Amino acid sequence: MSGTQRPWRRLAAGAAAAVCLALGLGAGAGQPAAAAESCAGDVESDFNGDGLRDMVIADPQATVEGMAKAGQVHVVLGGGKGSVQVHQSMPNVSDGAEPGDQFGFSLAVYDANLDGCSDLAVGIPYEDVGTVADAGLVHLIFGSTLGIGQGTPDRGFRHGGALAETSEPEDWVGYAVAATRSATGVPYLVIGAPGEDISGKTDSGLVSAVYGTDFRATSFDQDSPGVWEDREAYDQFGSAIVANNNHFVVGVPGESVDTDQSAGVVMAFRTSINTDGIPAPSFGMGQLRAAGSEKSAETGDRYGTSMALIPASSTLGEYLLAVGVPGEDLADVVDAGAVQTYRLSPTGDVAELNWIDQNAADVEGEAEPGDFFGQAMAGMALRLAVGVPGEESSEEHIDKGGVHFFPLGGAPGAGDAWIEPGAGIPSTPASRQLAGISLGVSNTTLLVGMPYGPEGGHAVYGYSKGDSSPVGGIRTWKPGQDGIPLGDGAFGAVVR
């Protein structure tokens, strides 16, 4: 693999081109008045502490104060209280907006200082650190009863600063972020830097954990003690991260398996620090972990490009782990894509469940070249939403995309459902929409971002959690509504 390639950006040629075409304007807005004297606490994504869930919609290609693709994040306040635009040129956020930063490329929400208000970690992998291009940065922006970014000044996490490593070009700190609270209640933020070069191994990747209310940090890679597999060039360790209160799982889609380049693996760690000073390694696996599996690792599969962790049993503490394999070739169908699901116990035991692809028995549709089934995923109750951004239902709408829903119990074809622009997604069908490229989930709603395609069609759609065929009762957020200013670059590229 060439040292100049960035394979984790790979999509179908048309899809990749479409991502680059989105241009627009992002505007700022003032903060609302305080809603309460203290934060309500125990409410998901509640940045102003009023006890209502807020919505987070990133537009990493937004223009901010004339800076193209500087990026901003829209926080839509619960209860119809309007929206707040968060970016690097607002008070209490350090640095300043610069062209191409892509503030909001990744997002994580958690209560970092345990004050009852949610806080927002924003990944900015293309931030220049001094003269070091695309070294990357993560801003932790605090919520308060005055509003997000209006109380405690933000904290920044970058190599050479709060994170120990030296900043280098194209480290891409913040390419992926995930957050949780450990089993003992400790706030926990995990930061991926898949472009980190270590010991001359280009893009081998590095992950950092920031934990506790005093924001201690530790960094580790595949050559750290007890970590599965060895560090190699182009592994891109840290390209994707998901977390629960027992584990976080790191995607390593560039990992070579035997002679198969970019076959991909995933590695799990506990949300506790061991005697080596890093999160305790739990397990690692690729497509051949389960004995007797017929699915083998192949060059370009990119297993671990996306993942989802879905609670399966509140009494047993079990989770369902889904791993996306968007580069999977099915027979002679190149890059059709697939998903593998597992059951994950609190102790780290893993049991293989289902292999899911569009050629499986009774599954709607069929696998086609360049579908990239599994490029993005989100879980809701015991259902899995799988993004298929390269899907096209006719030659008229190339890379229109769509979202496939599957039950996480039983056969994949037992109750699956499909939505796409014009059929379940209330957006006019067009080419290069890449529906399914952006998925998120709250405690009540599956979120489908539509950041690409015709500018007037950029929106986020919310579906009731658990719906097997979510085609009614859809909630819509888009520029010009809910206090969100008009104009955007890629509104909905990340949703939480």
Side-chain angles (χ1 to χ4, degrees):
M1 184 180 303
S2 168
T4 61
Q5 284 185 307
R6 296 293 182 179
W8 59 86
R9 282 176 147 177
R10 189 186 66 170
L11 284 171
V19 172
C20 298
L21 290 176
L23 299 172
L25 175 67
Q31 290 277 359
E37 293 183 1
S38 61
C39 298
D42 298 323
V43 176
E44 179 191 31
S45 297
D46 178 15
F47 299 101
N48 59 0
D50 62 357
L52 300 173
R53 189 192 190 280
D54 304 323
M55 172 86 165
V56 187
I57 303 172
D59 183 352
Q61 295 186 24
T63 298
V64 176
E65 297 187 344
M67 305 291 182
K69 297 186 180 180
Q72 67 179 352
V73 174
H74 304 273
V75 176
V76 183
L77 301 173
K81 298 178 182 178
S83 72
V84 176
Q85 281 59 58
V86 180
H87 49 75
Q88 288 181 283
S89 290
M90 66 180 289
N92 280 346
V93 177
S94 55
D95 299 306
E98 298 169 321
D101 280 350
Q102 296 201 46
F103 178 93
F105 187 90
S106 63
L107 298 173
V109 177
Y110 74 128
D111 186 358
N113 54 5
L114 300 182
D115 67 349
C117 278
S118 298
D119 306 309
L120 181 63
V122 181
I124 322 164
Y126 304 107
E127 172 81 21
D128 296 347
V129 175
T131 60
V132 182
D134 297 342
L137 171 69
V138 172
H139 277 304
L140 178 58
I141 303 170
F142 293 94
S144 73
T145 57
L146 296 174
I148 187 168
Q150 297 299 298
T152 304
D154 81 311
R155 297 184 73 100
F157 301 100
R158 62 175 177 83
H159 292 169
L163 308 180
E165 303 297 319
T166 301
S167 287
E168 298 169 323
E170 297 184 345
D171 279 348
W172 290 6
V173 173
Y175 187 91
V177 293
T180 186
R181 192 181 295 185
S182 75
T184 56
V186 177
Y188 218 95
L189 174 65
V190 190
I191 300 170
E196 173 74 20
D197 300 345
I198 302 176
S199 300
K201 295 179 179 179
T202 303
D203 295 346
S204 57
L206 184 77
V207 171
S208 300
V210 178
Y211 57 96
T213 55
D214 54 352
F215 305 104
R216 288 164 286 172
T218 183
S219 298
F220 54 100
D221 64 72
Q222 289 177 267
D223 276 357
S224 296
V227 177
W228 185 61
E229 289 292 341
D230 296 323
R231 179 202 306 142
E232 298 169 321
Y234 310 114
D235 281 348
Q236 303 131 30
F237 179 74
S239 294
I241 307 169
V242 291
N244 65 24
N245 60 358
N246 287 305
H247 291 89
F248 62 91
V249 186
V250 176
V252 196
E255 177 75 32
S256 296
V257 177
D258 296 327
T259 60
D260 294 309
Q261 295 185 350
S262 297
V265 300
V266 299
M267 301 180 191
F269 300 81
R270 299 187 185 280
T271 51
S272 58
I273 305 300
N274 65 14
T275 56
D276 292 310
I278 66 171
S282 180
F283 66 83
M285 64 184 182
Q287 292 187 64
L288 285 178
R289 176 184 169 88
S293 172
E294 295 179 358
K295 306 302 179 183
S296 61
E298 299 169 322
T299 295
D301 280 350
R302 300 200 58 77
Y303 175 96
T305 293
S306 66
M307 296 175 291
L309 268 175
I310 306 156
S313 170
S314 58
T315 56
L316 298 178
E318 293 182 331
Y319 278 75
L320 297 178
L321 170 65
V323 180
V325 199
E328 177 72 25
D329 298 345
L330 300 176
D332 59 350
V333 183
V334 178
D335 293 338
V339 169
Q340 176 71 64
T341 62
Y342 308 87
R343 183 176 294 272
L344 175 61
S345 77
T347 59
D349 293 329
V350 180
E352 184 177 1
L353 296 177
N354 286 320
W355 173 270
I356 306 173
D357 63 53
Q358 290 181 292
N359 285 344
D362 299 322
V363 168
E364 185 172 346
E366 63 179 355
E368 298 168 322
D371 278 351
F372 295 99
F373 178 94
Q375 183 72 29
M377 289 189 293
M380 50 180 198
L382 292 179
R383 288 201 158 268
L384 178 69
V386 178
V388 195
E391 180 77 25
E392 49 215 36
S393 55
S394 70
E395 294 182 2
E396 180 183 4
H397 301 134
I398 305 300
D399 296 329
K400 178 176 64 173
V403 181
H404 214 143
F405 295 85
F406 295 92
L408 282 170
D416 69 312
W418 171 262
I419 60 174
E420 62 184 24
I425 299 178
S427 178
T428 302
S431 293
R432 316 290 189 247
Q433 287 176 296
L434 306 180
I437 195 73
S438 171
L439 299 174
V441 68
S442 74
N443 60 346
T444 59
T445 307
L446 171 79
L447 305 170
V448 177
M450 293 286 293
Y452 305 119
E455 184 175 348
H458 297 181
V460 174
Y461 299 104
Y463 300 84
S464 298
K465 181 177 180 179
D467 282 357
S468 60
S469 183
V471 294
I474 301 170
R475 174 78 189 277
T476 300
W477 296 266
K478 63 189 308 182
Q481 299 179 7
D482 294 298
I484 302 168
L486 287 168
D488 77 291
F491 179 86
V494 186
V495 288
R496 293 290 183 270

